[in-house]
Amino acid sequence: SHMTEVQSLLLSPFTRSLGIKHYLWYAHAHRSVYLRICEFMLDGIVSSTQGSCPVKHSEKFLIGQAIDTQDFNFRSKDDLELDNLVHIGRFDPSKNLDRVIETSLINSDNEGLIDSLTIMGTPSNQKAESYKNGLERRFKSLIENQKLCFNPSVPRSTIPDLTKEYNLFIHSFEGSLDKVLLEATLLGLPVITVNQEFI
């Protein structure tokens, strides 16, 4: 099962009684009540990293981020300017995109240093859509002055080509390790983040 601790819990009595092995993929820093019960009902929890798997009472299998490094070739940069920033990921309040914008474009220490910030991601639910609409209203002048740009999500396979025009990846999610941080690093794109799993 993939990120479905509620459904996995409901299904677990049947898989147990029928002798069917049942593993849950879970990559999130939060240890929900459903996950706590799943720890006793399932055969194990599969995740990417220790910080993405807050499981305490079940066998856990940490298998990494499964990035094909051949798709993310390192590019050395002649231009060491750090003025064209990008953020790629789900457009969600948990990603702290308001903080990313403020740090990049509003912090007085950065005034005149940063040319632009592009945020690529699509809201996945109504709450995230409202969050995006609020940011668009709040930072309307930055959008009009082409300092800030919101773009929709992109296929993962296009990230290597898309990031060629940027020279810094900025990120502010404090939970589990985001795969895109490792992809940016593999590409040679400098990363600024508060994510302790990455650090």
Side-chain angles (χ1 to χ4, degrees):
S1 302
H2 182 266
M3 295 298 289
T4 53
E5 68 268 31
V6 176
Q7 294 87 341
S8 293
L9 176 60
L10 295 173
L11 192 59
S12 63
F14 300 103
T15 55
R16 275 195 152 214
S17 64
L18 295 171
I20 298 170
K21 295 278 188 189
H22 188 177
Y23 296 88
L24 170 67
W25 167 272
Y26 190 83
H28 199 290
H30 177 66
R31 187 169 174 245
S32 71
V33 173
Y34 305 107
L35 180 64
R36 291 173 197 214
I37 301 169
C38 280
E39 290 177 31
F40 296 99
M41 299 296 291
L42 304 181
D43 294 290
I45 311 291
V46 182
S47 192
S48 53
T49 64
Q50 183 66 38
S52 300
C53 190
V55 168
K56 295 181 180 174
H57 302 292
S58 178
E59 188 169 6
K60 54 182 160 183
F61 305 89
L62 303 178
I63 61 172
Q65 292 285 358
I67 299 169
D68 188 342
T69 54
Q70 292 181 3
D71 294 337
F72 293 86
N73 295 317
F74 186 87
R75 295 188 301 262
S76 59
K77 293 191 174 292
D78 300 325
D79 173 15
L80 294 179
E81 299 265 334
L82 301 176
D83 56 357
N84 196 2
L85 283 60
V86 66
H87 177 279
I88 301 172
R90 198 173 67 250
F91 206 113
D92 188 88
S94 68
K95 301 295 183 179
N96 299 311
L97 297 174
D98 49 338
R99 189 188 315 169
V100 168
I101 296 165
E102 289 167 359
T103 301
S104 305
L105 301 173
I106 296 177
N107 184 332
S108 60
D109 293 341
N110 293 338
E111 200 167 319
L113 297 177
I114 308 299
D115 286 341
S116 68
L117 167 64
T118 301
I119 295 176
M120 297 184 197
T122 303
S124 58
N125 55 43
Q126 191 56 51
K127 180 181 176 186
E129 188 70 49
S130 297
Y131 176 66
K132 181 182 180 201
N133 292 339
L135 292 182
E136 287 175 331
R137 285 190 302 274
R138 182 174 165 196
F139 299 111
K140 184 179 178 185
S141 64
L142 292 172
I143 295 169
E144 289 172 350
N145 294 328
Q146 298 182 336
K147 297 281 274 180
L148 175 62
C149 181
F150 292 128
N151 289 340
S153 296
V154 295
R156 185 153 247 114
S157 60
T158 65
I159 289 175
D161 284 331
L162 279 175
T163 54
K164 284 179 184 172
E165 61 186 276
Y166 303 100
N167 48 31
L168 184 65
F169 190 97
I170 188 164
H171 175 270
S172 191
F173 178 60
E174 296 180 17
S176 58
L177 179 61
D178 272 349
K179 188 175 189 173
V180 72
L181 292 173
L182 299 178
E183 293 167 339
T185 302
L186 285 169
L187 291 168
L189 191 60
V191 170
I192 293 178
T193 184
V194 296
N195 186 271
Q196 287 302 309
E197 279 295 291
F198 178 78
I199 292 166

